[in-house]
Amino acid sequence: MVDKKEAGRRLALVTGGGRGIGRVIALKLGERGFDVAVNYNNSAAGAEELCRELSAREILARAFKADVSRAQDAAALFKSIEESMGTVQVLVNNAGITRDNLLMRMKEEEWSDVIAANLNSAFYCTKEAIRGMVRARWGRVVCIASVVGLVGNAGQANYSATKAGLVGFAKSVAREYAAKGVTVNVVAPGFIETDMTGVLKENVRAAMLQQIPAGRIGSPEDVAKAVAFFASDESEYVTGQVLAVDGGMTMC
Ligand code: NAP
């Protein structure tokens, strides 16, 4: 068991940290002084490479495989982290998938897979993390939602429902533990350059860009900076909030 007080550093877990936005969040939290537990499901090589990169900068980092859409995997993940790194004090619920389709064509699995990966995962991981945070009288939960959870998106009824669900989940948990030093906030990215958006056709990208007042597509770094704020002591009086990181696309 690791004595975090002795180590004097806080431990952050990023789900889906092996690539995309999660990878950059993990790097950012490492730079900001956290030890980092990197969860991955399929991206073993990405997660291992990230841990090597962090370790080279003298940041303690380890990779943990788990499918966080499954309760048993999430429980095993937290047990392994506790045994090898200590108690999670910052949880970033980042893991997410899309299975886009118009509602009329949407298959039951397209609905349920997205609910499991995007929403159930946050329930399982936050439930695992919250006891330790309350005990420490300090904790940070950051959920990565999406602006489509706030404004909707044709072809993404499943995905948008999970992202809106994360907002209600975060606000409720924020109310439960605000007096215990635990904050729960949401970062809602707009259009961010990753594998998830890399599959979009050029005309769709151009149409999206037209709607972004900042005049550029967002980077994972833009999202990571907002997460770092919510993970820090600077945000101690901020809880139950949704911060859109979207270059002004939604302003709602
Ligand atoms: P991405 O490049 O497709 O990466 C998705 C990440 O989620 C991967 O690291 C993947 O891990 C992980 N993941 C998915 N299912 C998982 C599971 N069951 N267990 C563990 N990890 C799982 O996507 P991204 O763009 O970085 O998105 C990251 C988050 O930001 C998601 O929640 C997404 O909805 C949100 N977001 C993205 C955008 C955007 O424009 N890109 C906009 C708004 C919100 P493995 O590869 O290891 O399987």
Side-chain angles (χ1 to χ4, degrees), residues 16 19 21 41-43 67-68 94 96 145 159 163 190 192 194 197:
R19 65 191 170 97
I21 292 172
N41 188 24
N42 297 303
S43 298
D67 175 351
V68 290
N94 166 78
Y159 182 79
K163 298 305 187 179
I192 309 297
T194 67
T197 47

Side-chain angles (χ1 to χ4, degrees), residues 100-173:
D100 297 354
N101 220 337
L102 295 171
L103 181 66
M104 281 209 292
R105 294 186 196 146
M106 191 173 284
K107 295 184 188 73
E108 209 276 336
E109 312 89 80
E110 288 171 338
W111 173 266
S112 53
D113 287 356
V114 174
I115 300 284
N118 299 9
L119 189 56
N120 292 355
S121 61
F123 165 63
Y124 301 140
C125 291
T126 308
K127 194 168 175 213
E128 290 291 337
I130 205 81
R131 203 176 293 277
M133 293 179 180
V134 169
R135 206 178 298 124
R137 295 250 155 195
W138 194 96
R140 299 283 187 266
V141 179
V142 186
C143 296
I144 308 301
S146 166
V147 291
V148 305
L150 311 176
V151 299
N153 197 22
Q156 291 197 307
N158 50 359
Y159 182 79
S160 305
T162 63
K163 298 305 187 179
L166 281 174
V167 173
F169 172 75
K171 289 186 176 191
S172 302
V173 180

Side-chain angles (χ1 to χ4, degrees), residues 1-190:
M1 196 82 76
V2 179
D3 182 344
K4 295 302 296 178
K5 280 204 191 94
E6 201 175 282
R9 292 169 66 97
R10 287 173 171 150
L11 172 62
L13 164 62
V14 183
T15 67
R19 65 191 170 97
I21 292 172
R23 181 182 195 283
V24 179
I25 292 171
L27 275 171
K28 177 67 66 190
L29 293 179
E31 281 166 14
R32 296 285 168 96
F34 294 94
D35 295 342
V36 189
V38 179
N39 158 249
Y40 67 93
N41 188 24
N42 297 303
S43 298
E48 294 295 352
E49 187 271 328
L50 169 61
C51 289
R52 279 195 297 277
E53 189 175 334
L54 285 163
S55 301
R57 297 195 219 167
E58 311 215 324
I59 297 159
L60 183 62
R62 284 187 193 147
F64 297 87
K65 178 171 170 58
D67 175 351
V68 290
S69 70
R70 297 156 55 96
Q72 280 179 334
D73 269 40
L77 168 67
F78 275 81
K79 190 163 181 286
S80 304
I81 295 172
E82 181 77 42
E83 284 168 3
S84 58
M85 297 187 83
T87 304
V88 171
Q89 286 148 305
V90 175
L91 167 64
V92 184
N93 288 312
N94 166 78
I97 60 169
T98 51
R99 297 283 182 272
D100 297 354
N101 220 337
L102 295 171
L103 181 66
M104 281 209 292
R105 294 186 196 146
M106 191 173 284
K107 295 184 188 73
E108 209 276 336
E109 312 89 80
E110 288 171 338
W111 173 266
S112 53
D113 287 356
V114 174
I115 300 284
N118 299 9
L119 189 56
N120 292 355
S121 61
F123 165 63
Y124 301 140
C125 291
T126 308
K127 194 168 175 213
E128 290 291 337
I130 205 81
R131 203 176 293 277
M133 293 179 180
V134 169
R135 206 178 298 124
R137 295 250 155 195
W138 194 96
R140 299 283 187 266
V141 179
V142 186
C143 296
I144 308 301
S146 166
V147 291
V148 305
L150 311 176
V151 299
N153 197 22
Q156 291 197 307
N158 50 359
Y159 182 79
S160 305
T162 63
K163 298 305 187 179
L166 281 174
V167 173
F169 172 75
K171 289 186 176 191
S172 302
V173 180
R175 285 183 187 275
E176 288 182 26
Y177 301 104
K180 309 282 187 198
V182 179
T183 69
V184 187
N185 289 290
V186 175
V187 173

